[in-house]
Amino acid sequence: MTSPINNLAKLRPDDSQSTPLYLQLARNLEAAIHAGLWKAEQALPSERSLSEQLGLSRVTARKALEILFEQGLIRRSQGSGTFITPRLEQPLSRLSSFSEMLRLKGFVPGSQWLQREITQPSHEELIRLALSPTDKVARLKRLRKADDTVMAIEMSALPASLIPQPQLIGDSLYEYLDSLGKPVVRALQHIQAINASAEFAALVGIETGTAMLLMTRVGYLEDNTPIEVTDTYCRNDFYDFVAELRR
């Protein structure tokens, strides 16, 4: 496989164009990032390295990197360098699993399980899942990862009658439900901004009080039976929610 270093020459701006060199370089780097030349959390060549290998001034390289930083494509770590920011665009018009979305974007999905057990449902879960007071739920809590980077905390509740052994669920809940012949075919989803609690901040590696996005989803079977209530606490700097609007 050709290394990113060997591909840098292809990113050099064209001196014959009227567009400023730093804008060309920023666009070329952006295209290379989206094409997967660098993986999430991989170090980007330094300002000095870019200028030397591409025959550009350090001012040009610096201004190009500044544009990428403003777009949220890279992050800076004091004393360590510049790194590719994992970023996931989630369309609001299509129902898909977290794992499926990551694979489509070229990431490797993963999970770190924090809880998989049968418990009593909360009052809200009783209502949303149309359960009786004697019913129990399979409670799932995990960290969702892209290329080993924590993107979100996911907490789900499903009827225990459907999932009596939650330990059997792998990285994808939806794929597991598909294997049972109980696919989620539609969902209602709400998104709100919250501030990270001390617990959540520690789990995803941000400061307490940092803005996060809370996505609450209720999933339904083909016969409109509610089957899933999921709260996903997303890192605000890693997620974009996209909606297409038409007239």
Side-chain angles (χ1 to χ4, degrees):
M1 181 182 294
T2 304
S3 71
I5 295 298
N6 295 331
N7 279 321
L8 275 184
K10 300 178 181 179
L11 305 181
R12 194 188 190 288
D14 185 350
D15 296 312
S16 66
Q17 292 187 18
S18 59
T19 305
L21 295 180
Y22 76 91
L23 284 179
Q24 291 187 53
L25 178 57
R27 291 171 184 170
N28 292 346
L29 287 169
E30 178 184 0
I33 290 171
H34 288 311
L37 186 59
W38 294 279
K39 289 187 176 293
E41 295 295 353
Q42 187 173 353
L44 195 70
S46 66
E47 171 189 309
R48 177 179 177 181
S49 178
L50 285 173
S51 63
E52 290 179 350
Q53 295 189 55
L54 299 180
L56 302 169
S57 71
R58 291 190 64 167
V59 172
T60 296
R62 183 181 307 123
K63 292 174 73 174
L65 292 177
E66 186 63 34
I67 291 175
L68 298 184
F69 178 75
E70 291 174 355
Q71 292 177 334
L73 293 174
I74 61 174
R75 65 175 180 82
R76 295 169 178 146
S77 179
Q78 189 70 29
S80 299
T82 303
F83 299 87
I84 304 299
T85 301
R87 199 151 190 92
L88 181 62
E89 287 189 356
Q90 180 169 343
L92 295 177
S93 58
R94 179 172 179 267
L95 178 61
S96 56
S97 73
F98 181 88
S99 298
E100 179 187 0
M101 286 189 298
L102 287 180
R103 292 191 190 104
L104 290 174
K105 292 294 183 179
F107 295 112
V108 177
S111 296
Q112 178 183 334
W113 287 102
L114 305 176
Q115 183 182 21
R116 275 184 291 183
E117 60 185 19
I118 303 297
T119 66
Q120 293 295 131
S122 67
H123 178 70
E124 182 178 3
E125 290 163 354
L126 279 174
I127 296 173
R128 290 192 169 184
L129 293 174
L131 300 175
S132 70
T134 58
D135 288 333
K136 294 187 177 181
V137 295
R139 191 171 306 286
L140 313 173
K141 182 178 180 181
R142 55 181 166 167
L143 303 181
R144 304 310 306 264
K145 297 184 177 183
D147 293 342
D148 294 325
T149 298
V150 178
M151 302 282 285
I153 305 164
E154 187 178 86
M155 303 166 63
S156 301
L158 301 95
S161 58
L162 176 68
I163 304 181
Q165 295 179 287
Q167 294 81 8
L168 298 179
I169 301 172
D171 280 339
S172 175
L173 172 61
Y174 277 18
E175 288 177 7
Y176 182 76
L177 292 174
D178 288 347
S179 72
L180 298 178
K182 299 289 186 178
V184 174
V185 299
R186 74 177 185 90
L188 296 178
Q189 193 162 271
H190 300 271
I191 301 172
Q192 61 179 303
I194 64 165
N195 295 322
S197 65
E199 177 195 358
F200 288 173
L203 286 173
V204 301
I206 58 178
E207 294 186 3
T208 300
T210 300
M212 297 186 77
L213 295 173
L214 169 57
M215 179 174 63
T216 299
R217 180 177 65 244
V218 180
Y220 296 85
L221 298 177
E222 184 70 42
D223 63 0
N224 283 327
T225 299
I227 191 178
E228 165 214 14
V229 176
T230 294
D231 288 330
T232 305
Y233 296 83
C234 310
R235 282 193 59 159
N236 187 46
D237 52 346
F238 287 175
Y239 264 84
D240 282 327
F241 291 95
V242 182
E244 181 180 359
L245 305 178
R246 294 175 180 268
R247 287 191 63 179

